[in-house]
Amino acid sequence: RQVFTNSGRMGIPFRIDRLNASDKQLLGVSSADELIRYIRGESVVGLRRRNTPLGDIVHSNPIYIGASRGFNSSASYRAFKAVTKTREPMIYVGANDGMLHGFSASDGKELLAYIPSVLLPKLKYLAAKDYQHRYYVDGSPMVNDAFVAGDWRTMLAGGLNGGGQGIYVLDITDPGDFIEAKADQLFAWEFTDKDDA
């Protein structure tokens, strides 16, 4: 699975060797490695048994994104729209497993899972054997094209709704870029109470 988060202002793979010491401390567990493997979808002895790596979806409405359909009269945007005609259609939705998910619309395969960093301290509750339902990425994503640093990009913005206070923005222009090596390219920014209480 291609699971991402962010550390500071940088997108990173959600893996034990990519989280820094303070991020691991935020997880609030004795074994960060076990929790990370569990959140990524593995079965881990001693943690709550899961039947599927996908959590429940309650208030987040899925959004379908194929070719760009926006309007802008510039030649650069017309060229951008032409390129996106062959883009893989995707469905994006937030779930209460702590992730925004991106699924291929053609076969349902998960191509992207993003964990807002503001939720890192809450992930341990998902693994608890006495788990009681909590909201995580409970907000509906919205998508629009934007002119960023001299290029047109397709940007996804989402919130947490019942999951907490925080907004994140991801660059979803090319689903072919949804690989861990391009985590920092995917992540645009996240705004939380740390930025403004």
Side-chain angles (χ1 to χ4, degrees):
R1 297 177 71 192
Q2 304 299 317
V3 184
F4 308 87
T5 188
N6 69 288
S7 182
R9 304 205 180 277
M10 180 184 301
I12 60 170
F14 186 66
R15 293 189 179 273
I16 190 69
D17 61 335
R18 297 305 302 272
L19 293 177
N20 62 37
S22 60
D23 292 331
K24 291 174 187 174
Q25 190 173 11
L26 281 176
L27 294 174
V29 291
S30 57
S31 175
D33 180 58
E34 286 185 355
L35 180 61
I36 289 168
R37 289 190 293 114
Y38 179 86
I39 296 300
R40 290 183 61 87
E42 293 182 37
S43 293
V44 178
V45 175
L47 301 181
R48 179 171 66 98
R49 185 172 176 270
R50 298 170 71 175
N51 296 322
T52 173
L54 180 64
D56 63 277
I57 299 167
V58 180
H59 297 114
S60 180
N61 293 316
I63 186 169
Y64 172 90
I65 301 297
S68 289
R69 296 183 180 182
F71 176 78
N72 184 290
S73 60
S74 69
S76 62
Y77 189 66
R78 289 195 302 271
F80 175 74
K81 285 180 70 172
V83 169
T84 68
K85 284 183 178 179
T86 59
R87 175 166 62 191
E88 179 167 4
M90 296 286 295
I91 296 171
Y92 299 94
V93 66
N96 293 309
D97 52 16
M99 303 180 191
L100 170 95
H101 296 274
F103 301 102
S104 167
S106 61
D107 62 11
K109 181 180 178 182
E110 180 192 75
L111 300 183
L112 162 73
Y114 172 72
I115 302 170
S117 66
V118 70
L119 295 177
L120 291 179
K122 297 181 179 181
L123 294 179
K124 62 188 172 197
Y125 302 119
L126 287 166
K129 287 193 171 182
D130 59 350
Y131 170 74
Q132 299 293 315
H133 185 270
R134 291 172 178 261
Y135 292 114
Y136 285 84
V137 185
D138 192 46
S140 300
M142 299 188 73
V143 175
N144 213 335
D145 296 329
F147 197 64
V148 179
D151 290 310
W152 284 99
R153 310 297 297 172
T154 301
M155 308 299 282
L156 178 148
L160 308 179
N161 197 18
Q165 294 187 156
I167 298 170
Y168 56 90
V169 176
L170 307 177
D171 184 337
I172 60 163
T173 304
D174 184 359
D177 288 339
F178 296 167
I179 58 173
E180 291 186 346
K182 296 189 176 183
D184 195 39
Q185 180 178 311
L186 167 77
F187 175 74
W189 54 263
E190 186 174 308
F191 186 86
T192 70
D193 283 349
K194 289 181 180 179
D195 301 290
D196 188 337

